[in-house]
């Protein structure tokens, strides 16, 4: 039995050579479409996975203060109230915000160093210098992201002046630079002791930007969140909601682009179908003749399946390799911009790329299946016709 | 058959490319697994507690669009919620259950987007 | 033995383009004989030949092979039957363009569970006998009509089929090749093969065991040799 299938395999290859134009059109069209599609898909997956990663270890609940639907400062008294709720292990104040404008926006985070109870071994957090210690409070010590350090041309030990929103000069000393490994989170980050941040943003005593809450694993987070929601003006964001937000952002954008490319891919499949029809007359004759010699309908379909599989797998694999190379080595160019929308990643950044097995399989599926359909269906229609009639129609 | 005897490169290259794709996939999975285990990243996420990818913005009316999306806030421009959502192709607000659940006072401008 | 009973073929039935290609054709083809279908163009010879070869389904009537009615057998069964038993020579030659003469001979063998190259020597013998050995590597579109017809002959015979169905096999070939074709048909009959030929050629009629004359889709005369 195997020899027969080997014969069909060789014949399918001969057909690919024989119908060079069709082979070429299909290969080029599918390779381009798949390279674009895979590039977007891998980026989207990368951003989503990065989001999942980042959220996985984030505080369980974030509480901010709303008034008239706008986010305002949270009274510190909320922290004490939250601490009393069943299931809350720790409620920590947070002061953070943005500074600068346009492309030079950076994130300032005030850290309550006394609230960090876990021994984290901060040595892996910074690539140069050291991380903040409680004694840094009021000294103007900061730890900054590697990218920001590059942009501002500062190093450990340097002093820098940052203008606040109130257009007041604040002097800071760089004591550490975040490690490259953490760049995706820390690129634009400036971390300072919480009181320094309060001073920088001119946040009055008794108020914080928001608070973060770590819950008891034994108590469902939603229960704690529901309890917190009873506090007036509190907006409660669980980790799950944050992740949904991320996914809505990247998944939505990615989905939009993927939909666009899937439509394009369908158009490509139609081109293939029409190509199959163009060569249809010759193919119809060939099928009729082969059937005359004793090829069964299944034999004919097997040959066309082999052709389509080779073409589909070739173009899908090549397209994916191009997509990966484009994402990783060429930083995804236009697609990264489309995915990020108004947001931008500094040029020094590599977009996170996730080449997942499910995505790879789905890309093979969206290439090979339409191609199988586009080429096999005409062959099948010919193959179920009387061979003599098929040849006669082809000759007509 | 004469042509049949020739080694045809197409399936061979297809096979090599497919192996390449799966190899890249595997390597990529390993590197993500390594990232997941990265102590430095874990520390920064837990200690700093800002679960945001460091993105800037080209849109003058927003500061960090992703964080704004998280918090579903009606930001600093009238109808900003609608504007941010629709101009960034994030999705229809109606498809985001969070929109209905968390934003008090439904903003009808969002529907026009 | 192949028998047909009231075999009828109507193309495009019930439409203004309806054509009755064959009507109530009753013929009998014994094993190891040469049977001729003769008649003017459009008399239905090719249609009957195609129906006998099971590559065209009749509109009505029956085809019996060794007494068994195979008319409505499955497409799959018919394909296997053709694969194992029938060699075709077409009026329009029907070679596959883009392939060489040798490839055209070997392609029909791909559906066998064998290495097709095993048949190469047999094909070369036949090519030699038909005097086109030097053309085996040429693409078929580079061959003359006569050469193409000879390639088609080799293609039909290389598998050593039990039944050979030939539609106007000498129409494009020269005198000498025609003579070789007659000789080969004679030899095939001597080997116990069944040959059915549709032809105008009176020389072939001379070597036939039975001749059916067709007109307007029906058999009008049957002659035994």
């Amino acid at each position: 039995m195997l020899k027969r299938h080997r014969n069909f395999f060789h014949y399918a290859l001969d057909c690919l050579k024989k119908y060079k134009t069709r082979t070429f059109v299909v290969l080029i069209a599918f390779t381009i479409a798949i390279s674009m599609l895979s590039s977007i898909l891998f980026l989207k997956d990368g951003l989503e996975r990065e989001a999942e990663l980042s959220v996985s270890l984030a505080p369980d609940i974030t509480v901010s203060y709303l008034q008239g639907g706008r986010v305002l400062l949270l009274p510190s008294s909320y922290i004490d109230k939250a601490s009393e709720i069943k299931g809350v292990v720790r409620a920590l104040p947070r002061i953070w915000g943005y500074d600068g404008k346009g492309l030079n926006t950076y994130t300032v985070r005030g850290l309550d160093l006394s609230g960090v109870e876990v021994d984290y071994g901060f040595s892996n957090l910074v690539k140069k210098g050291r991380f903040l210690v409680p004694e840094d409070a009021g000294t103007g010590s900061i730890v900054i992201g590697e990218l920001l350090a590059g942009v501002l041309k500062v190093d450990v030990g340097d002093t820098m002046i940052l203008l606040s929103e109130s257009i007041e000069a604040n002097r800071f000393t760089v004591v550490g630079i975040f490690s490259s490994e953490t760049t995706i989170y820390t690129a634009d980050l400036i971390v300072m002791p919480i009181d320094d941040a309060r001073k920088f943003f001119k946040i009055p005593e008794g108020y914080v930007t928001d608070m973060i809450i770590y819950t008891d694993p034994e108590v469902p987070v939603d229960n704690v969140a529901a309890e917190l929601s009873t506090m007036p003006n509190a907006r409660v964001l669980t980790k799950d909601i944050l992740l949904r937000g991320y996914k809505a952002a990247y998944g939505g954008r990615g989905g939009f682009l993927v939909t666009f490319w899937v439509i394009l891919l369908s158009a490509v499949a139609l081109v293939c179908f029409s190509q199959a029809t163009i060569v249809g007359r010759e193919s119809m004759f060939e099928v009729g003749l082969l059937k005359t010699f004793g090829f069964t309908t299944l034999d004919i379909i097997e040959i066309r399946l082999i052709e389509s599989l080779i073409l589909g797998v070739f173009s899908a694999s090549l397209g994916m390799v191009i997509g990966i190379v484009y994402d990783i080595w060429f930083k995804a160019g236009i697609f990264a911009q489309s995915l990020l929308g108004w947001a931008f990643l500094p040029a020094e950044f590599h977009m996170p790329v996730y080449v997942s097995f499910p995505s790879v399989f789905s890309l093979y599926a969206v290439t090979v299946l339409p191609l199988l359909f586009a080429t096999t269906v005409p062959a099948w229609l010919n193959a179920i016709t009387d061979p003599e009639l098929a040849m006669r129609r082809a000759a007509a | 058959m004469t042509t049949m005897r020739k080694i045809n490169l197409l399936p061979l290259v297809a096979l090599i490319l497919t192996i390449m794709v799966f190899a890249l996939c595997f390597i990529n999975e390993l590197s993500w697994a390594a990232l997941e285990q990265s102590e430095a990243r874990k520390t920064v996420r837990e200690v700093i507690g800002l679960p945001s990818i460091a993105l800037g913005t080209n849109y003058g009316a927003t500061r960090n669009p992703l964080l704004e999306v998280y918090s579903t806030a009606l930001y600093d421009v009238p109808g900003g919620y609608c504007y941010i959502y629709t101009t960034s192709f994030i999705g229809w607000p109606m498809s985001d259950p969070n929109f209905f659940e968390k934003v008090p006072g439904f903003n009808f401008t969002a529907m026009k987007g | 033995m192949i028998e047909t009973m009231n075999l009828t073929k109507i193309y495009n039935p019930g439409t203004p383009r309806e054509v009755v290609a064959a009507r109530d054709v009753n013929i009998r083809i014994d094993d190891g004989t040469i049977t001729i279908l003769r008649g003017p163009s459009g008399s239905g010879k090719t249609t009957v030949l195609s129906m006998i070869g099971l590559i065209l389904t009749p509109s009505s009537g029956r085809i019996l092979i060794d007494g068994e009615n195979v008319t409505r057998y499955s497409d799959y069964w018919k394909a296997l039957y053709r694969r194992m038993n029938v060699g075709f020579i077409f009026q329009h030659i029907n070679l596959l363009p883009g392939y060489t003469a040798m490839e055209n001979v070997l392609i029909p063998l791909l559906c066998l569970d064998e290495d097709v190259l095993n048949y190469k020597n047999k094909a070369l013998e036949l090519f030699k006998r038909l005097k086109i050995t030097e053309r085996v590597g040429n693409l078929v579109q580079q061959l003359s009509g006569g050469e193409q017809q000879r390639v088609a002959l080799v293609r039909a015979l290389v598998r050593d089929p039990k039944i050979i169905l030939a539609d106007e096999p000498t129409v494009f070939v020269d005198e000498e090749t025609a003579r070789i074709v007659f000789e080969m048909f004679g030899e095939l009959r001597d080997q116990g093969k069944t040959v059915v030929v549709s032809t105008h050629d009176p020389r072939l009629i001379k070597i036939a065991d039975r001749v059916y004359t067709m007109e307007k889709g029906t058999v009008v005369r049957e002659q035994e040799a």
Side-chain angles (χ1 to χ4, degrees), chain A residues 113-133:
Chain A
L113 292 161
S114 61
V116 181
E117 293 169 2
V118 191
D119 176 16
Y120 281 104
F122 292 134
S123 57
N124 59 17
L125 200 56
V126 286
K127 74 165 194 180
K128 244 180 166 181
R130 61 174 177 80
F131 195 67
L132 297 173
V133 291

Side-chain angles (χ1 to χ4, degrees), chain C residues 8 54 57-63 69-75 77-78:
Chain C
T8 299
L54 305 181
T57 308
S59 304
S60 62
R62 286 188 290 171
I63 302 165
N69 180 6
V70 300
T71 323
R72 300 290 163 199
Y73 274 21
S74 70
D75 195 43
W77 187 91
K78 288 174 182 172

Side-chain angles (χ1 to χ4, degrees), chain A residues 112-350:
Chain A
D112 181 5
L113 292 161
S114 61
V116 181
E117 293 169 2
V118 191
D119 176 16
Y120 281 104
F122 292 134
S123 57
N124 59 17
L125 200 56
V126 286
K127 74 165 194 180
K128 244 180 166 181
R130 61 174 177 80
F131 195 67
L132 297 173
V133 291
E135 291 74 35
D136 285 323
T139 62
S141 300
I142 55 171
V143 178
I144 66 172
E146 189 187 17
L147 185 77
L148 198 59
V151 170
L152 300 175
K153 295 189 175 61
V154 292
D155 207 344
V156 173
D158 288 349
T159 298
M160 54 192 264
I161 292 171
L162 296 176
L163 281 181
S164 70
E165 280 171 335
S166 321
I167 321 178
E168 272 184 8
N170 292 264
R171 183 183 291 270
F172 293 100
T173 307
V174 179
V175 297
I177 295 173
F178 281 109
S179 70
S180 313
E181 216 177 317
T182 64
T183 299
I184 189 124
Y185 306 118
T186 61
D188 66 344
L189 188 64
I190 297 176
V191 177
M192 59 182 73
I194 192 162
D195 289 331
D196 291 7
R198 181 187 297 284
K199 198 175 138 202
F200 182 69
F201 287 122
K202 283 199 173 300
I203 291 177
E205 283 294 336
Y207 290 92
V208 291
T209 311
D210 54 20
M211 69 170 160
I212 51 177
I213 288 172
Y214 294 91
T215 61
D216 181 351
E218 302 291 315
V219 181
V221 173
D222 286 342
N223 289 3
V224 180
E227 193 76 21
L228 286 165
S229 301
T230 60
M231 295 197 295
N233 296 67
R235 184 182 57 185
V236 181
L237 301 171
T238 59
K239 239 197 291 200
D240 186 46
I241 287 173
L242 293 185
L243 187 59
R244 266 198 285 164
Y246 249 134
K247 287 198 165 178
Y250 295 126
R253 284 171 209 251
F256 180 83
L257 289 167
V258 166
T259 306
F260 174 75
W261 282 103
V262 165
I263 291 167
L264 189 81
L265 203 65
S266 311
V268 169
L270 281 175
V271 169
C272 297
F273 190 83
S274 80
Q275 272 294 313
T277 317
I278 289 167
V279 298
R281 183 165 288 215
E282 202 173 337
S283 174
M284 192 192 288
F285 169 75
E286 187 179 325
V287 168
L289 196 60
L290 292 178
K291 283 205 74 184
T292 301
F293 299 134
F295 283 67
T296 63
T297 303
L298 276 179
D299 294 342
I300 305 287
I301 288 173
E302 184 180 334
I303 291 167
R304 293 291 179 254
L305 279 179
I306 294 169
E307 275 180 55
S308 307
L309 268 180
I310 292 173
L311 272 182
V313 170
F314 183 93
S315 50
S317 300
L318 182 61
M320 275 189 260
V321 169
I322 292 172
I324 294 168
V325 167
Y326 182 65
D327 280 352
I328 293 176
W329 280 279
F330 294 94
K331 296 182 180 177
I334 48 171
F335 298 131
Q337 296 308 318
S338 310
L339 274 173
L340 293 172
W342 284 105
F344 84 99
L345 273 182
E348 292 81 354
F349 251 31
H350 277 292

Side-chain angles (χ1 to χ4, degrees), chain A residues 1-8 10-11 14-16 18-19 282 285-299 303 383-392 395, chain C residues 9 11 46-47 50 54-58 75-76 78-80 82-84 86 88 90 93-99 103-104 107-116 118 155 159:
Chain A
M1 281 301 279
L2 277 176
K3 282 183 182 160
R4 205 161 133 260
H5 297 298
R6 196 187 59 189
N7 290 342
F8 290 161
H10 286 303
Y11 184 66
D14 272 11
C15 288
L16 287 174
K18 191 180 167 195
Y19 302 119
E282 202 173 337
F285 169 75
E286 187 179 325
V287 168
L289 196 60
L290 292 178
K291 283 205 74 184
T292 301
F293 299 134
F295 283 67
T296 63
T297 303
L298 276 179
D299 294 342
I303 291 167
I384 55 170
T385 312
D386 271 344
E388 204 267 355
L389 273 181
M391 287 191 286
R392 209 179 268 240
Chain C
K9 180 67 190 178
Y11 290 109
T46 301
T47 301
S50 299
L54 305 181
I55 59 171
L56 185 64
T57 308
D75 195 43
Y76 181 76
K78 288 174 182 172
L80 292 189
R82 290 193 295 270
R83 182 188 300 177
M84 305 313 294
V86 188
F88 286 94
F90 300 97
I93 303 171
N94 289 352
L95 296 176
L96 285 170
Y99 293 101
E103 284 170 342
N104 261 281
I107 282 172
L109 309 172
L110 293 171
C111 60
L112 304 176
D113 194 27
E114 291 177 59
D115 190 340
V116 290
N118 295 342
R155 180 178 65 181
R159 247 192 310 178

